[in-house]
Amino acid sequence: MKILVLFYSTYGHIKLMAEAVVEGAKQVEGAEVILRRVPETLPDAVLEKMGAFEIQKSFANIPVVEHSDLVNADAIIFGTPTRFGNMTGQMKQFLDSTGGLWAQGSLIGKVASVFTSSATQHGGQESTILSTHIPLLHHGMIIVGLPYSFQGQTRIDEITGCSPYGASTIAGAQGERLPSLNELEGARFLGKHVATITAKLTR
């Protein structure tokens, strides 16, 4: 059983969530989990102005995804920050490049899930996850969310991400807030849940 965790991260928040998703998926017996990133499309000069250049350099050890990684996976868990209530352009551009896989039906029946981040508490996390589901459904993938058995999404003693649609984190207007322990636990839960569902489907 092969689980692909595929992400784009600008300032590192989604990378931290992705690593937690990997940890959770690895808890399921028989799960082989790989972490990949989508290509960066912004030039270095723009990344420097955004204050993201050094952070992006720190991702260099994580391989850039190949279409074959998607074909070889039994489940794919996508991580993308929110941009105006939607996925990032980098993730969208990569998904737009998978038309050949769509034409061949290469992803039909594979499990898919999505996690995200936004600057603010109501910054479009749910719409980002739901709108990311659209191309995955066009690919014929089986969508898995974050069930309420992860009780951390119902807590009201702190401001936190996570919803039935997927794991999420709140980054802060300046990216100053790192994923909380509860949000990271939600990401681990999502990884384990997806791997558990995938194990049942691949028996």
Side-chain angles (χ1 to χ4, degrees):
M1 179 179 61
K2 296 183 179 179
I3 311 291
L4 169 63
V5 180
L6 177 60
F7 76 96
Y8 173 77
S9 185
T10 305
Y11 296 105
H13 300 81
I14 285 293
K15 176 179 177 286
L16 292 173
M17 293 287 281
E19 291 170 341
V21 171
V22 169
E23 291 173 10
K26 284 183 175 179
Q27 293 177 22
V28 177
E29 184 178 356
E32 176 188 339
V33 189
I34 63 171
L35 182 64
R36 295 290 185 268
R37 59 188 172 94
V38 300
E40 178 58 80
T41 59
L42 295 174
D44 290 347
V46 173
L47 291 172
E48 287 178 353
K49 289 181 180 178
M50 295 172 61
F53 181 69
E54 292 301 321
I55 297 170
Q56 290 289 313
K57 281 176 58 178
S58 71
F59 301 163
N61 63 313
I62 301 172
V64 172
V65 68
E66 303 284 346
H67 286 165
S68 59
D69 293 322
L70 281 70
V71 174
N72 294 331
D74 297 300
I76 307 168
I77 308 175
F78 298 83
T80 174
T82 294
R83 295 291 187 269
F84 303 109
N86 212 321
M87 72 181 83
T88 62
Q90 290 87 346
M91 182 63 74
K92 181 65 164 61
Q93 184 165 330
F94 174 74
L95 287 173
D96 284 348
S97 77
T98 61
L101 300 183
W102 171 83
Q104 297 170 17
S106 300
L107 305 187
I108 292 174
K110 296 181 186 295
V111 176
S113 192
V114 183
F115 59 99
T116 191
S117 69
S118 64
T120 61
Q121 186 178 5
H122 303 290
Q125 294 184 0
E126 294 181 0
S127 63
T128 295
I129 292 174
L130 290 170
S131 59
T132 303
H133 287 168
I134 295 172
L136 308 183
L137 288 166
H138 276 258
H139 271 294
M141 303 186 79
I142 302 168
I143 303 297
V144 173
L146 182 67
Y148 278 110
S149 49
F150 172 63
Q151 297 180 1
Q153 66 177 287
T154 66
R155 62 190 300 176
I156 58 173
D157 60 322
E158 66 176 63
I159 294 174
T160 187
C162 295
S163 72
Y165 311 107
S168 60
T169 183
I170 302 164
Q174 306 300 322
E176 70 275 15
R177 181 184 183 275
L178 294 178
S180 69
L181 293 177
N182 187 59
E183 292 164 344
L184 290 171
E185 188 56 35
R188 291 187 193 96
F189 192 105
L190 182 69
K192 183 176 181 180
H193 181 59
V194 170
T196 300
I197 296 295
T198 306
K200 293 178 180 179
L201 294 174
T202 56
R203 283 175 183 166

